Amino acid sequence: MDFSDFVELALYHPEVGYYRQPRRRVGYAPGTDFFTASSSGPIFGELVVAACVELLGKAIAHQYTFVEIGAEAGLEILTGVDHPFAASRAVQVGEALNLKGRCIVFSNELFDAQPFRRLIFRGNSWREQRVVLRGAELEEIETPFRQNFPALPLVAPEGYLIDAPIGAAALADSIAAEPWTGLFVAADYGKSWRELIEVTPAGTARAYFRHSQSNDLLARPGEQDLTCHVCWDWLAAALTRKGFSSPTIESQESFFVSHAGEFIGREVAKQSSQFSQRKLALLQLLHPSHLGQKFQVMHSIRQ
């Protein structure tokens, strides 16, 4: 099967998919596999609220419904967070998007967890890696490449691997195709197409299990997370085609400092004389050596 089909089954199969299992995946507790910005507590949601209000304008923010796509049940970022929006709701895995009217559509580490294809340069041409079942073992095999990608280089170093995040682009297209207007905000990690084809020779896909990173993507299907960097160019193109204006990509640090600066200033002032858990969480979200530069935020508005 195509590698993207394997990822789709391993992550989202209704019965055995990783994200369909009734267990806790995110956080620091035993049995979890990774942590995200939402693991920092309510301050992440408060930062997001402050940034969205600033981007939309304080005078009209109350007219919008905040919709979080792909949130883990019980870990929605607005849980316990005051906000000025008309309403808020979460779209869980497997549920219809149902986006209409005025919305703020938000996601955190959603697009990196979508199916991807694997292309490898071998000999004088690109080949595609697929998955085959031999007996009881899954193996990767190389087959002729059947479809071009935009600006795929004609030559590359031997063995150069591209993890092409086609599922993320398709999801962005589906979200943008819904009949809604307002603000799109996606926090994730990604690269430009040029970076993916020039500066990541080993690809970007990896697996996470019990907070350990692995390159064995075929191990434990349905029990480990599979992820790869999104292609911001593809997401921006999907939004632009559907009427969104000037999709902007910023580091998470820059996004919050630029659009939630007043909130950050108040928090720093309140925590200046102590080293509290909230102050530690704020540093973790903003500091370049932690999550501040590791993650990026894409945002755009459709009037």
Side-chain angles (χ1 to χ4, degrees), residues 43-271:
I43 196 167
F44 179 61
E46 294 167 11
L47 282 164
V48 171
V49 168
C52 290
V53 169
E54 192 274 340
L55 285 166
L56 285 171
K58 295 180 181 180
I60 62 172
H62 67 281
Q63 301 175 6
Y64 291 79
T65 296
F66 186 95
V67 183
E68 183 179 6
I69 300 179
E72 289 277 296
L75 295 178
E76 298 84 358
I77 68 159
L78 293 194
T79 300
V81 173
D82 292 332
H83 63 80
F85 309 129
S88 68
R89 68 181 179 93
V91 178
Q92 308 292 344
V93 170
E95 295 180 347
L97 293 173
N98 193 27
L99 303 172
K100 57 186 178 180
R102 295 181 175 181
C103 297
I104 301 164
V105 176
F106 173 82
S107 66
N108 180 48
E109 289 196 67
L110 169 68
F111 288 95
D112 66 270
Q114 302 303 316
F116 52 90
R117 292 170 65 181
R118 310 202 83 192
L119 314 177
I120 190 167
F121 196 81
R122 191 76 74 192
N124 295 315
S125 63
W126 288 98
R127 295 177 63 80
E128 183 156 6
Q129 292 190 337
R130 293 185 170 86
V131 179
V132 65
L133 181 66
R134 299 190 193 281
E137 299 295 326
L138 292 170
E139 297 179 11
E140 287 189 41
I141 60 171
E142 295 178 12
T143 62
F145 182 46
R146 300 177 307 194
Q147 178 184 345
N148 258 329
F149 281 86
L152 195 65
L154 297 178
V155 294
E158 180 72 10
Y160 195 103
L161 184 62
I162 297 175
D163 291 306
I166 59 168
L171 177 58
D173 194 67
S174 296
I175 291 172
E178 293 279 306
W180 65 281
T181 59
L183 176 64
F184 172 93
V185 180
D188 229 306
Y189 46 83
K191 297 183 180 296
S192 68
W193 179 242
R194 182 173 180 177
E195 288 175 311
L196 291 175
I197 65 175
E198 292 183 359
V199 300
T200 58
T204 65
R206 59 251 192 216
Y208 285 96
F209 181 77
R210 302 296 188 265
H211 293 274
S212 294
Q213 179 180 316
S214 168
N215 293 324
D216 190 352
L217 306 183
L218 303 186
R220 308 184 188 92
E223 298 178 15
Q224 65 177 3
D225 188 26
L226 299 175
T227 176
C228 81
H229 281 57
V230 305
C231 177
W232 291 121
D233 297 341
W234 292 2
L235 266 63
L239 296 177
T240 302
R241 285 194 299 269
K242 297 298 194 300
F244 284 82
S245 60
S246 303
T248 302
I249 306 164
E250 302 178 82
S251 68
Q252 182 169 287
E253 173 194 17
S254 176
F255 176 76
F256 285 135
V257 169
S258 298
H259 306 291
E262 291 185 12
F263 172 84
I264 294 170
R266 291 194 301 269
E267 282 298 310
V268 171
K270 286 191 297 185
Q271 308 290 327

Side-chain angles (χ1 to χ4, degrees), residues 266-285:
R266 291 194 301 269
E267 282 298 310
V268 171
K270 286 191 297 185
Q271 308 290 327
S272 61
S273 62
Q274 56 182 326
F275 196 73
S276 65
Q277 187 62 38
R278 279 179 66 84
K279 187 174 184 178
L280 181 63
L282 186 62
L283 288 172
Q284 184 183 44
L285 291 168

